Amino acid sequence: MERLWNKNYCKVMIANFTLFFAFYLLTPLLPIYLSEHFGATKDVIGVVLSGYTIVAMLFRPFSGYFVDSFPRKKVLMVCFACFSILFAGYIFASTLLLFTIVRTLHGGPFGAITVANSTVAIDVLPSSRRTEGIGYYGLSNNLSMAIAPTIGIFIYQLTQNFELLFWIALIVACVGMAVDATVKLPAKEIVLNKSKISLDRFFLLRGWLLGANMVAFGFCFGVLSNYLAIYGKETLGITGGTGTYFMLCSIGLMLSRLQGSKALRKGHLTHNAGEGILISLVGYTLFIALPTIFPGNATAIWVGYYGSAMLIGLGNGHMWPAFQNMTINVAHNNQRGTANSTILISWDVGMGLGILFGGIIAETLGYDMAFWTVAAVNAIGTATFFLSTKQFFLKRNLNPALH
């Protein structure tokens, strides 16, 4: 059997870890920063933060085209350099408008680098271990999610200094760029696609329902990841549990990736996806249901809060690599970048809608209703998968070994 953990694959995973570490270091704290530093209201916070995700979404289809049509290493390094430099903008943004501009612009290179780096990971994997390798690749995201928010919140509680956090994110991103610079890609002739420009060169039309289904799951995590800290503090009375929550979520993600790798190796994609979706549904429902059914009951609140973290982590850890593999395997070989960008675009659309509407719903109806909306959207996504998406993939699958 070909070697999975080759040097270049490990480097790409390390770079991916630093990329998401820099991202997750700030994610749970930015609503607090905007509220305390600029006096922003909940709906304004939602608008400011959603811009990042929306721009990332807009850049991703073009990123897929560029990594499929031009030398991937060059595309990768340009994207990583832009992503790293923009962290400096947070340090010098003295007004809410300037911060909004910098944050929104930052979404572009983030959207591009995640497509480029994951496509490079596929390139350096041996073909016989690709399905399994894509599953393991996500562990670098998960590990950063476990560590970064905890470190960020600890530093903030210790120093009350957001500028220090921005500097740390900048330095970590630069380290990742330096690691990616040493990756050696296999020699491959780049042939520009000279056919008439069509939507399918930017978004994988063959996988449209997979993408649409992913929007629902991205919506749920968009609300959760961005409003968890402020919801816990203002509604549940949990002040300092955000870092623990993300750590438990990431432990669940990592356990599911390790446990699910065997199923991925055997090609059981729809089984992995379905199992993960159902576990996540239970997690999102418990998160809001237990505190609502047993208001004021500390045990119910803690079980719903921390128990949901592990369940959502387990669920997403099964669901995400399965959906990514399904999307790649309905695409032709020269559309790997487009397939990667499609699934990431879909997640971004959901995240952006979740951040935007989560803030609006929280401002008008309260955080409880915002998280009940999350449970409802997740249930719709679950029903869509079992009623339509599963058969949609099986009909279009180009690799009979996967099912």
Side-chain angles (χ1 to χ4, degrees):
M1 185 176 289
E2 294 177 282
R3 184 183 175 192
L4 173 63
W5 298 98
N6 64 71
K7 185 186 298 184
N8 288 311
Y9 177 60
C10 291
K11 287 178 180 178
V12 173
M13 285 190 69
I14 291 169
N16 195 54
F17 170 82
T18 63
L19 162 70
F20 280 93
F21 185 98
F23 175 75
Y24 282 118
L25 185 76
L26 304 178
T27 297
L29 290 166
L30 285 180
I32 297 173
Y33 176 70
L34 292 172
S35 176
E36 293 181 355
H37 196 72
F38 298 115
T41 58
K42 298 182 185 73
D43 51 348
V44 171
I45 291 171
V47 171
V48 173
L49 297 182
S50 63
Y52 183 95
T53 307
I54 291 168
V55 172
M57 171 197 71
L58 294 174
F59 267 68
R60 276 185 170 151
F62 299 99
S63 308
Y65 168 72
F66 276 106
V67 299
D68 282 338
S69 303
F70 296 96
R72 283 178 185 160
K73 181 69 175 288
K74 291 181 180 178
V75 175
L76 176 67
M77 296 314 300
V78 169
C79 295
F80 221 137
C82 294
F83 173 76
S84 302
I85 291 167
L86 276 169
F87 277 109
Y90 298 145
I91 300 168
F92 301 106
S94 56
T95 67
L96 180 60
L97 177 60
L98 282 174
F99 185 92
T100 302
I101 292 170
V102 173
R103 181 66 178 173
T104 301
L105 290 175
H106 206 177
F110 176 77
I113 186 62
T114 47
V115 172
N117 208 60
S118 59
T119 307
V120 166
I122 295 170
D123 283 344
V124 299
L125 280 167
S127 58
S128 64
R129 308 292 297 276
R130 189 168 291 145
T131 304
E132 181 185 3
I134 290 170
Y136 279 125
Y137 176 77
L139 283 173
S140 54
N141 302 17
N142 306 151
L143 188 59
S144 65
M145 186 193 290
I147 297 172
T150 306
I151 292 175
I153 290 165
F154 174 76
I155 293 172
Y156 170 68
Q157 291 174 340
L158 192 66
T159 66
Q160 301 291 306
N161 189 340
F162 277 101
E163 185 175 325
L164 176 61
L165 289 166
F166 296 149
W167 275 109
I168 293 171
L170 171 61
I171 292 167
V172 170
C174 288
V175 169
M177 181 174 62
V179 172
D180 252 348
T182 66
V183 172
K184 294 181 180 179
L185 295 181
K188 185 176 294 186
E189 182 184 1
I190 300 294
V191 180
L192 284 173
N193 190 339
K194 297 181 181 179
S195 62
K196 185 178 178 181
I197 290 180
S198 64
L199 179 61
D200 203 41
R201 286 170 62 183
F202 301 100
F203 185 90
L204 189 69
L205 296 179
R206 283 180 56 83
W208 72 267
L209 186 55
L210 289 161
N213 207 165
M214 184 60 82
V215 169
F217 304 128
F219 178 96
C220 300
F221 200 73
V223 178
L224 181 76
S225 61
N226 282 271
Y227 299 108
L228 176 70
I230 202 164
Y231 170 69
K233 181 180 178 181
E234 293 187 3
T235 305
L236 301 180
I238 299 175
T239 58
T242 308
T244 305
Y245 187 97
F246 278 106
M247 182 169 287
L248 288 171
C249 185
S250 296
I251 289 171
L253 281 161
M254 288 185 280
L255 289 174
S256 65
R257 294 288 174 102
L258 293 171
Q259 186 270 330
S261 63
K262 184 177 180 181
L264 288 176
R265 199 181 308 131
K266 293 180 178 179
H268 300 162
L269 301 185
T270 57
H271 173 80
N272 249 30
E275 183 178 329
I277 289 166
L278 289 172
I279 294 171
S280 292
L281 177 61
V282 174
Y284 283 113
T285 305
L286 281 179
F287 180 83
I288 185 61
L290 284 182
T292 303
I293 297 170
F294 304 102
N297 186 311
T299 301
I301 290 172
W302 279 65
V303 169
Y305 189 82
Y306 291 112
S308 70
M310 183 67 78
L311 289 171
I312 291 168
L314 284 168
N316 281 355
H318 280 295
M319 177 269 293
W320 179 264
F323 262 76
Q324 188 176 18
N325 270 298
M326 284 191 286
T327 308
I328 289 168
N329 283 286
V330 300
H332 299 289
N333 287 338
N334 63 345
Q335 291 182 303
R336 285 179 187 168
T338 304
N340 264 323
S341 69
T342 297
I343 201 68
L344 290 167
I345 288 166
S346 303
W347 181 260
D348 282 346
V349 170
M351 285 276 288
L353 291 173
I355 296 167
L356 179 62
F357 287 104
I360 293 171
I361 295 169
E363 181 69 21
T364 55
L365 301 173
Y367 281 113
D368 284 344
M369 184 54 67
F371 283 105
W372 273 117
T373 302
V374 166
V377 170
N378 199 266
I380 292 169
T382 301
T384 301
F385 176 79
F386 286 104
L387 295 175
S388 303
T389 308
K390 182 177 178 180
Q391 289 304 315
F392 176 91
F393 162 70
L394 293 174
K395 287 180 180 177
R396 289 162 177 77
N397 180 24
L398 298 175
N399 187 344
L402 305 178
H403 53 84

